C-alpha cells in the first residue's frame, strides 16, 4: 500500500492502475472462499500477481523467468497459498541485497515415480548471499533436526505438504544452477476433487 501511495503522490496513474489490479487478484485469492484446495492454474495466477507487484517495487533490479504451466497440469488440485511463500523467499531473502541483474526462475512439471504422478515445482534465484553454512541450516530445519524453533514460510509450506501427503513429499533445498537457493516442491498429483 505504501508503494501505491508513493505512485499516486507522484501521479503515476498507469502504475497505480496496474498495482491496484494485481493487489485485487492477490487478495481475492487469499479471501475468495474457504476452499483449501485449488487448481494449480489459480495458484499460479496468485504468484503471477505477486510477481507483478514485486516488479513495481524492484523495477529493473530483478527479472522473473516464469515457465508456463503445461495445459495438462492446469487443473491439478494443490493446497491454497502453497507456492507464493516460495517465490516470496527468493525476493525477500535470496535477492534482498541485489541491486541489478537479479533473476528468479520458476518452473513446473511432472514426473512418473512408480505408479504415482508427481508435480514438480521449483523457484530458484541467483542471489549471492547463500553460504554453504546457511544452506545447511535451512536443510536441517526442513529435516526436523534440533536447532532454533523459528518457523519460516518455507518450513510452514514443507510441514503443510507433509501433513497432507506424507513424509515423501515436501520441499528440498539446494544450490541451484543460477548460484542461489533452489527450492523444489514435490506433490503427488491427485485427481480433481
Amino acid at each position: 500500500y505504501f508503494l501505491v501511495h508513493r505512485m499516486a503522490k507522484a501521479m503515476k496513474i498507469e502504475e497505480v492502475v496496474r498495482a491496484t489490479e494485481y493487489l485485487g487478484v492477490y487478495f481475492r485469492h487469499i479471501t475468495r472462499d474457504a476452499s483449501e484446495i485449488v487448481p494449480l492454474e489459480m495458484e499460479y495466477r496468485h504468484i503471477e500477481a505477486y510477481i507483478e507487484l514485486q516488479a513495481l517495487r524492484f523495477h529493473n533490479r530483478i527479472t522473473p523467468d516464469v515457465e508456463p504451466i503445461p495445459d495438462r497440469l492446469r487443473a491439478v488440485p494443490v493446497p491454497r497459498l502453497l507456492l507464493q511463500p516460495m517465490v516470496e523467499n527468493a525476493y525477500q531473502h535470496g535477492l534482498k541485497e541485489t541491486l541489478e541483474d537479479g533473476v528468479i526462475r520458476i518452473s513446473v512439471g511432472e514426473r512418473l515415480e512408480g505408479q504415482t504422478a508427481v508435480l514438480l515445482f521449483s523457484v530458484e534465484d541467483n542471489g549471492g548471499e547463500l553460504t554453504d553454512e546457511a544452506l545447511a541450516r535451512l536443510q536441517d530445519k526442513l529435516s526436523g533436526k534440533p536447532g532454533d524453533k523459528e518457523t519460516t514460510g518455507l518450513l510452514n509450506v514443507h510441514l503443510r505438504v507433509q501433513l497432507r501427503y506424507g513424509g515423501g513429499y515436501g520441499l528440498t533445498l539446494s544450490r541451484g544452477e543460477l548460484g542461489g537457493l533452489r527450492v523444489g516442491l514435490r506433490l503427488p498429483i491427485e485427481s480433481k476433487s
Side-chain angles (χ1 to χ4, degrees), residues 18-31 49 53:
R18 282 180 46 214
T20 54
E21 176 186 356
Y22 296 126
L23 279 169
V25 170
Y26 181 84
F27 285 116
R28 181 185 303 141
H29 185 69
I30 292 173
T31 61
L53 288 167

Side-chain angles (χ1 to χ4, degrees), residues 25 29 32 37-49 66-79 83 108 119 121 192:
V25 170
H29 185 69
R32 185 176 201 154
I37 302 297
V38 297
L40 177 60
E41 182 175 33
M42 183 182 288
E43 187 70 4
Y44 223 66
R45 276 197 305 263
H46 178 67
I47 63 169
E48 288 170 340
V66 182
E67 182 179 290
I69 305 172
D71 287 339
R72 67 189 175 281
L73 298 178
R74 290 184 178 281
V76 168
V78 298
L83 306 181
V108 62
L119 179 70
F121 180 81
K192 226 172 144 182

